[in-house]
């Protein structure tokens, strides 16, 4: 009898210490996490793309995230009711189908070239993902013991991060268009190029006029694209204008994105109207859009208005045709995603997954509602933590391409910058794998606090530096973002018992931070410039540090109160 009791006890203890009770179900869920991560991160590609297509400022472009993450706030309670009514499995299938409908909506949106139809499609897509969030996050925590719930959710979120890593790379290739003309590769090693760059970097106060004149147009273009940004401070507007007039239109088009805004405005305002008309459409559109979203003094604003009035009808038509073609470039990628979502929904529908019926039935048969969660400070403060974390993460990711293309930061094209965004999200993926292992032995609160401190330091560096230092500091934020969402989420619902679904709904509602914070940062960027607008996400990480240090400590649990 005692041996039997001892064997049962050993089995129970082994089960309690196991990472998951349902390894196959957890594997299926990681695929779902991957897909919604992929879809969410494609917004980072859509923002600069639609900003160009529809001539938007930063605040207007952030309506993409405002619409997408606003759906979390509006639809999380209905989503919670759907999941409570249908169960986890059918709730996940429903979310995938709705997301597919939203993805297919990009086709008519592109045909109409209407920004608000794009936003409607995004809202439908986000509604589906909201239902997935409500169902999948708590479902993963219930697929094993409470002891390993944070670690298990971090592992699932690692696959979510894999989706966010792949999305910018593929999205940049499929949606963002590269330069219409690139310099020949042998230009970089040409003696004239090397001599000119050496003169500009090492002897910028000498007579550089002759150095420019001895170089061919391709050498001049390569040099201007690759000299450090501070060298431009030593080059007069007149000298740059003279060199711009030497360059053929297609070569000048490759250089404009690398020239500081004020000097670019001077060049475009003073080159002949015929040459302005001959510039490649992509260079002309991106240059004009960059000027519109830059803080200019009154004289520069007048110069910009004069430049706009001097653009010929033929050039305007060329720019509009380019924008229309850009709008249509999203059709096929999102149609393919819609098909994949439907196939995944069918796969989940026919796959046998555990329902965790006891937990679901217990939730259905209790009179508790969302307002009951507000009796538990750690859950409410956790929802605020998600609000500020998602807001900070989405802000950094959303503005990264625009930030990296600035002449004094990365001086790169949008397509190249999209690959750096992939590194940002790749850091999150690597960090979640590491965090999943660390949190088995280290307190989640301590790890959360440490990551918040590191990101505060990285954002300060991002705001106060330029060049490669700024590039690598902002990319590194992704690594330390990694464990924040799943850790805050699991800490917020710890001990919530029969209120787990209600607490989960509140936390998912708080993802609306991804709508509010980037939109607010867009206004700040339009007012004081993008570089220093990262003050807002910095303040968000201050709150996350507070939550890790103090706010996440449960003062009571539902189990104790039942």
């Amino acid at each position: 009898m005692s041996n039997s009791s001892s064997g049962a006890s050993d089995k129970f203890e082994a089960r309690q210490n196991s990472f998951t009770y349902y390894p196959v179900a957890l594997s299926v869920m990681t695929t779902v996490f991957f897909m919604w991560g992929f879809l969410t991160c494609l917004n980072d590609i859509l923002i600069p793309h639609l900003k160009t297509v529809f001539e938007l400022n930063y605040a207007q472009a952030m309506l993409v995230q405002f619409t997408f993450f606003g759906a979390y706030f509006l639809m999380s309670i209905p989503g919670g009711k759907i999941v409570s009514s249908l169960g986890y499995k059918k709730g996940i299938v429903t979310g995938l189908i709705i997301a597919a409908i939203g993805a297919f909506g990009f086709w008519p949106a592109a045909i109409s070239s209407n920004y608000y139809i794009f936003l409607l499609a995004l809202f439908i897509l986000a509604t589906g993902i909201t239902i997935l969030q409500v169902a999948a996050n708590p479902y993963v925590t219930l697929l094993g013991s409470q002891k390993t719930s944070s670690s298990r959710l971090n592992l699932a979120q690692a696959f979510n991060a894999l989706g966010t890593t792949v999305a910018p790379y593929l999205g940049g290739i499929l949606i963002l268009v590269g330069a219409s003309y690139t310099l020949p590769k042998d230009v970089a090693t040409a003696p004239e190029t090397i001599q000119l760059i050496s003169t500009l970097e090492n002897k910028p106060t000498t007579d550089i006029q002759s150095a420019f004149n001895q170089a061919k147009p391709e050498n001049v273009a390569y040099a201007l694209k690759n000299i450090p940004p501070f060298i431009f401070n030593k080059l007069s507007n007149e000298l740059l204008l003279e060199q711009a007039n030497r360059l053929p239109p297609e070569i000048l088009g490759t250089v404009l994105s690398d020239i500081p805004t004020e000097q670019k405005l001077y060049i475009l305002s003073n080159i002949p109207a015929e040459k302005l008309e001959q510039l490649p459409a992509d260079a002309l559109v991106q240059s004009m859009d960059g000027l519109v979203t830059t803080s200019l003094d009154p004289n520069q604003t007048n110069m910009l208005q004069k430049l706009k009035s001097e653009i010929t009808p033929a050039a305007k038509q060329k720019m509009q045709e380019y924008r229309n073609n850009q709008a249509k470039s999203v059709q096929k990628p999102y149609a393919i995603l819609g098909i994949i979502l439907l196939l995944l929904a069918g796969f989940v529908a026919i796959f046998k997954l555990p329902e965790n019926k006891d937990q679901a039935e217990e939730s259905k048969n209790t009179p508790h509602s969302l307002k009951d969660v507000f009796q538990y400070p750690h859950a409410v403060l956790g929802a605020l933590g998600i609000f500020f974390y998602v807001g900070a993460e989405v802000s950094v990711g959303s503005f990264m391409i625009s930030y990296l293309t600035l002449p004094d930061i990365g001086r790169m094209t949008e397509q190249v910058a999209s690959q750096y965004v992939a590194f940002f999200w790749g850091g999150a993926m690597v960090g979640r794998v590491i965090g999943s292992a660390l949190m088995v032995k280290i307190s989640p609160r301590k790890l959360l606090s440490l990551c918040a401190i590191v990101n505060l330091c990285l954002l300060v560096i991002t705001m106060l530096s330029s060049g490669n230092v700024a590039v690598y500091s902002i990319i590194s934020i992704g690594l330390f973002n990694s464990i924040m969402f799943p850790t805050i989420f699991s800490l917020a619902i710890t001990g919530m018992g029969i209120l787990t679904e209600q607490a989960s709904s509140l936390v998912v509602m708080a993802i609306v931070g991804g709508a509010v914070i980037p939109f607010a940062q867009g206004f700040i960027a339009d007012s004081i410039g993008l570089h220093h607008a990262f003050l807002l996400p910095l303040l968000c990480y201050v709150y996350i540090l507070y939550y890790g240090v103090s706010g996440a400590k449960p003062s009571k649990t539902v189990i104790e109160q039942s």
Side-chain angles (χ1 to χ4, degrees), residues 444-456 480 484 545:
R445 287 179 45 237
K446 289 182 180 179
L447 200 57
L448 178 65
S449 302
L450 177 61
C451 289
I453 292 172
V454 174
N455 272 354
L456 284 170
F480 298 94
M484 289 187 178
L545 175 59

Side-chain angles (χ1 to χ4, degrees), residues 168-169 172-173 176-179 401 404-405 410-423:
Y169 182 79
I173 294 173
L176 297 178
V177 178
I401 289 179
L404 294 177
T405 58
R411 303 175 66 191
M412 57 186 74
T413 65
E414 290 182 347
Q415 193 174 53
V416 172
S418 69
Q419 298 174 15
Y420 283 80
V421 177
F423 288 124

Side-chain angles (χ1 to χ4, degrees), residues 34-35 55 85 98 123 133 143 147 160 176 216 222 370 380 410 422 436 445 450 459 479 512 534:
F34 173 88
M35 280 307 302
E55 303 178 70
S85 174
I98 293 174
F123 183 84
Q133 289 266 23
L143 290 177
K147 179 181 178 181
N160 181 272
L176 297 178
K216 298 176 182 177
Y222 186 90
L370 186 65
V380 176
S436 179
R445 287 179 45 237
L450 177 61
L459 271 171
L479 177 63
V512 73
F534 287 99

